[in-house]
């Protein structure tokens, strides 16, 4: 099931994407009653997908990101794979949705793309054992962990380098039924491939990351875990269109603009 968050005529809601819609014009969203973090019903009221604006699929209280979780990516930046996961935060203000413009941070001269599988948490959880990790997941979406690489190198903390406004595009929707163990993940810039890997190359699995993170903190419904990026990260320029595609989920596209 694909669950999207959208706006239309000033109203915001959630809907289930239906590919074979009776609505003219192609795929449509069947608006749901309530929200996807509890049992819900489809209303039967359908809106054509091309008539709505897709929003970030969730508004997380926090984005918990994991660095150096692909060995080749760690090596390309001159780093080793750490003994324990490198965990950092991206604030809620970093989140933007599909097709939203991303402003090039004025304090950086080296903005990089990082295509990532994002895990969307479905219920409040803490100290989750590995065998229960899948139970706390609502689904998965695409993410771009945009990074001011020069700032990351020069500052010990990554808060500014990875937490600036617009640095966490998410979308286009949440896929609830995909198996995250071995999915192709790709990033293109202006149609040219930059990154190509598989989630099976992750040093630590989704389950391991949930166990590690919830040992320390409670995750809330709608919180997001970024699971790391494969090799091939590189620079973006104003005017570039960057797209993250994950097998079985979809494509997240954003354009880089000059920050006003």
């Amino acid at each position: 099931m694909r669950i999207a968050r959208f706006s239309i005529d000033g109203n915001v809601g959630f809907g289930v994407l239906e590919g074979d819609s009776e609505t003219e014009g192609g795929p449509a969203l069947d608006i749901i009653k309530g929200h996807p973090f509890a049992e819900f019903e489809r209303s039967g009221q359908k809106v054509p997908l091309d008539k709505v604006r897709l929003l970030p699929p969730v508004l997380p209280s926090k984005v918990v990101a994991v660095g150096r979780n692909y060995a080749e990516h760690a090596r390309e930046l001159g780093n080793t794979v750490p003994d324990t996961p490198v965990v950092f935060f991206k604030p809620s203000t970093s989140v933007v949705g599909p097709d939203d413009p991303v402003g090039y941070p004025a304090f950086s001269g080296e903005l990089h793309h990082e295509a990532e599988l994002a895990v969307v948490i479905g219920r409040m959880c803490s100290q989750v054992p590995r065998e229960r990790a899948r139970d706390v997941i609502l689904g998965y979406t695409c993410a771009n962990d945009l990074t001011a690489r020069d700032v990351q190198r020069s500052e010990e903390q990554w808060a500014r380098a990875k937490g600036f406004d617009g640095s966490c595009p998410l979308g286009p929707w949440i896929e609830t039924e995909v198996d995250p163990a071995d999915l192709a993940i790709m990033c293109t810039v202006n149609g040219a491939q930059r990154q190509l890997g598989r989630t099976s190359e992750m040093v630590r699995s989704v389950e391991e990351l949930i166990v590690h993170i919830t040992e320390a903190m409670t995750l809330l419904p709608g919180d997001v875990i970024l699971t790391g990026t494969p090799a091939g990260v590189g620079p973006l320029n104003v005017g570039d269109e960057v797209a993250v595609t994950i097998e079985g989920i979809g494509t997240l596209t954003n354009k880089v603009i000059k920050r006003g």
Side-chain angles (χ1 to χ4, degrees), residues 37 56-66 87-96 118-128 136 141 143 145 162-163 167-168 170 209-210 212-227:
F37 303 106
V58 287
L59 290 178
S61 75
K62 54 188 171 294
V63 177
V64 187
V66 179
V87 176
F88 58 94
F89 293 104
K90 295 172 83 81
S92 58
T93 48
S94 70
V95 174
V96 294
V119 182
V120 180
I121 298 300
R123 69 187 198 193
M124 186 169 68
C125 58
S126 176
Q127 302 182 46
V128 180
V136 306
T141 192
D145 177 19
K162 287 179 170 286
S167 64
C168 190
L170 295 174
L209 296 178
I210 289 174
H212 181 75
I213 291 166
T214 62
E215 283 178 342
M217 69 192 73
T218 298
L219 297 177
L220 302 178
D223 281 352
V224 170
I225 297 173
L226 303 188
T227 58

Side-chain angles (χ1 to χ4, degrees), residues 13 28 46 83 86 90 94 107 159 182 184-186 196 215 221 258:
K46 299 178 181 180
D83 292 334
V86 175
K90 295 172 83 81
S94 70
F107 57 88
D182 186 28
I185 179 169
M186 179 176 64
L196 182 63
E215 283 178 342
K258 184 177 180 180

Side-chain angles (χ1 to χ4, degrees), residues 47-241:
V47 182
L49 186 62
D50 61 3
K51 300 297 183 183
V52 306
R53 177 191 172 197
L54 290 180
L55 303 173
V58 287
L59 290 178
S61 75
K62 54 188 171 294
V63 177
V64 187
V66 179
R68 303 173 189 169
N69 199 31
Y70 287 75
E72 287 299 316
H73 169 60
R75 282 193 281 270
E76 75 178 343
L77 295 183
N79 300 310
T80 58
V81 175
D83 292 334
T84 58
V86 175
V87 176
F88 58 94
F89 293 104
K90 295 172 83 81
S92 58
T93 48
S94 70
V95 174
V96 294
D99 298 318
D100 284 343
V102 174
Y104 200 114
F107 57 88
S108 173
E110 191 180 354
L111 179 65
H112 278 200
H113 56 78
E114 293 192 7
E116 308 205 9
L117 174 71
V119 182
V120 180
I121 298 300
R123 69 187 198 193
M124 186 169 68
C125 58
S126 176
Q127 302 182 46
V128 180
R130 183 186 175 109
E131 63 270 18
R132 298 293 303 276
R134 292 286 184 98
D135 295 342
V136 306
I137 298 170
L138 174 63
Y140 306 88
T141 192
C142 305
N144 195 342
D145 177 19
L146 293 170
T147 303
R149 193 71 69 198
D150 50 349
V151 179
Q152 184 186 26
R153 286 193 297 264
S154 65
E155 299 181 1
E156 292 187 7
Q157 295 286 341
W158 297 355
R160 294 205 315 150
K162 287 179 170 286
F164 58 89
D165 291 351
S167 64
C168 190
L170 295 174
W173 39 64
I174 302 166
E175 172 57 66
T176 65
E177 297 175 7
V178 71
D179 185 340
D182 186 28
L183 302 174
I185 179 169
M186 179 176 64
C187 178
T188 63
V189 178
N190 301 325
Q193 181 181 299
R194 291 276 191 89
Q195 292 180 269
L196 182 63
R198 301 197 70 85
T199 56
S200 55
E201 299 166 0
M202 290 195 297
V203 177
R204 295 172 181 88
S205 67
V206 167
E207 293 85 353
E208 290 175 281
L209 296 178
I210 289 174
V211 171
H212 181 75
I213 291 166
T214 62
E215 283 178 342
M217 69 192 73
T218 298
L219 297 177
L220 302 178
D223 281 352
V224 170
I225 297 173
L226 303 188
T227 58
T229 193
V233 300
L236 294 168
N237 298 302
V238 172
D240 283 347
E241 184 175 85

